[in-house]
Amino acid sequence: MVESIGKDAWLRGEGQDADIVISTRVRLARNVEGFALKAKLAGDEEVALVQHLKQRIGKVKLAEKQQFVDLKPLDDVERLLLVERHLISLDHANADSERGVIHDDQGSIALMLNEEDHLRLQVLGSGMCAEEVFDRAFAIEDDLQGVVEFAYHSRYGYLTSCPTNVGTGMRLSVMMHLPGLAFTKQIDKVFNAVARMNLAVRGFYGEGTKALSDLYQISNQVTLGKTPEELLNDVRSVIPVILRWEREVRNQVLKADRVGLEDKVWRALGALRSARTMSSSEAFEQLSHVRLGVHCELIPDLTIATLNELFLLCQPGHLQTVVCGGKAIEPRKRDIVRAELLRSRLGGR
Amino acid sequence: MNKCQKCQKARATVLVTDIDLASHKPQQLHLCEDCARETGMAAALSPSAADMLKASILSVTEKESKARSAQRIMCEHCGLTYQEFRVKGRFGCTACYDTFAELVDPLLEKVHGAREHKGDPPRKPTHRRKTTNVAEFEKELVELRRKLTRAVKAEDYEDAARLRDRITEVERRIGEATDG
Ligand SMILES: [Zn+2]
Ligand SMILES: [Zn+2]
């Protein structure tokens, strides 16, 4: 697994509007006809379900290279690594049932087996690429329908464990980096716009819930009563508005207080290049500022891909795998190792 | 302007939905971003789907249970009771959607603002479904494979050959059941 670290396609910082949109993801929830849903699935039935899906999906070519990972024998660090790569959910990692994931070598496609639903199919891409991930996910789903019979109700559509996912079973989410709007306390504009469209915003907090890395995820709130295409269009229609606001705010700040912004981003880079201990929440906060600096062309010689990679490497699973060879280490030691890693990657001393 | 319900100073921009443990009633808090962060309401900037569901189940089931003795409903396919669903918010089998239809419809209306799916049905029509024993077959397959491994280890080749035949047979039947 170590060779694929930091190499996943969604990290590249490529694609449309990659200065603000980190990644786009679509997820389809499906259940297999003939098996009980998760809440009433007995242990031996779980083994049979995973076996069934693994064997069936094995017949379908999802990508150039694909592999099945049995989650049960993995240790905590290995599971965390998959969570941080967005290949499995935290719940999937922490469960103790029979379960697995089938994913491609690019980290773009992941099929979680026996998650909250029997199958959670996910396609992930770099930048704003809603149409691409949408088309790819439904193409894969179509192929899977040739080998697996999904539970479908003539009135309710695709049936799911939880009624919040029923119908299309689709959740499209766009991860955005909005330091400008957050910095100028205008993020409520985003909330209002998004709420009007029946969409949801989520924020991401670091360890200890102190620092906000200015990352926000916009996704469709409902899954029923609209076609997948309509849901896609709902999400797609609001993103350009948010992008425009974020860019406007950045320009305003640059005009009004260029030195203030320069000070903020260079101080952040200074901290990353010099600190001897660095918690993940501080790392996220400082990286977020530096990322803004790179986009406003205040900091030369650093790429978004590098920063995206560092966001990932600073998380506990990656840190412990890359630097500590997969051994779990205590948080205090982690902070020291994290600071060392950041100094060496960012040309500090 | 909406003031933050915690610090009473800053402007509230975050809506946090939570279930009050004492009253079992959903409550919504308008907080400023700093207070939301401080209370550790991670990922709660919009009410999460799970929160919305909990709140909706509560409001729907309250009305329902007054109307009639909904509590007695149980899914005969998986044994899930109305009470279990109320607590977990998860169904036990696909038949549950029909078993609890009277509850499902108002619930879906609350959560999605709709009661019916819109979109293409699966490529294969579901009416030709053979009541699939896939789960049973797959369970047998797991057991057979386990036995086969043991037989091979014990160098009991007669038994192994017999098990292999049975595995082929079961795999064929799973194929029939799902390929149609
Ligand atoms: Zn406050
Ligand atoms: Zn049931």
Side-chain angles (χ1 to χ4, degrees), chain A residues 34 37 40 51-52 56 116 142 145 153 155-156 160-161 163-164 187 201 203 205 210 212 216 223 230, chain B residues 13 33 37 45-46 84 90-92 97-98 105 112 116-118 121-123 134-135 138-139 145 178:
Chain A
L37 297 177
K40 290 287 181 187
Q51 185 97 45
H52 180 69
R56 291 268 143 174
E116 183 186 295
D142 195 56
Q145 281 191 13
H153 192 285
R155 194 147 51 94
Y156 301 134
T160 50
S161 271
T164 51
I187 207 79
V201 195
Y205 299 87
K210 271 273 180 260
L212 182 73
Y216 296 88
T223 57
E230 286 170 336
Chain B
T13 54
E33 234 182 295
R37 219 179 293 170
L45 297 177
S46 295
E84 268 179 280
R90 301 287 184 277
F91 286 128
Y97 276 89
D98 288 319
D105 282 347
H112 299 279
E116 277 184 36
H117 174 56
K118 210 174 145 193
R123 195 144 55 88
V134 180
E138 288 288 358
K139 260 194 323 199
R145 290 203 180 106
T178 42

Side-chain angles (χ1 to χ4, degrees), chain B residues 75 77-80 92-96 99-100:
Chain B
C75 176
H77 294 270
C78 70
L80 186 91
C93 74
T94 53
C96 284
T99 310
F100 298 99

Side-chain angles (χ1 to χ4, degrees), chain A residues 71 74 78-88:
Chain A
L71 294 179
L74 298 189
E78 290 169 316
R79 285 188 199 132
L80 206 51
L81 195 71
L82 292 170
V83 173
E84 292 167 6
R85 288 178 70 194
H86 296 322
L87 293 176
I88 62 173

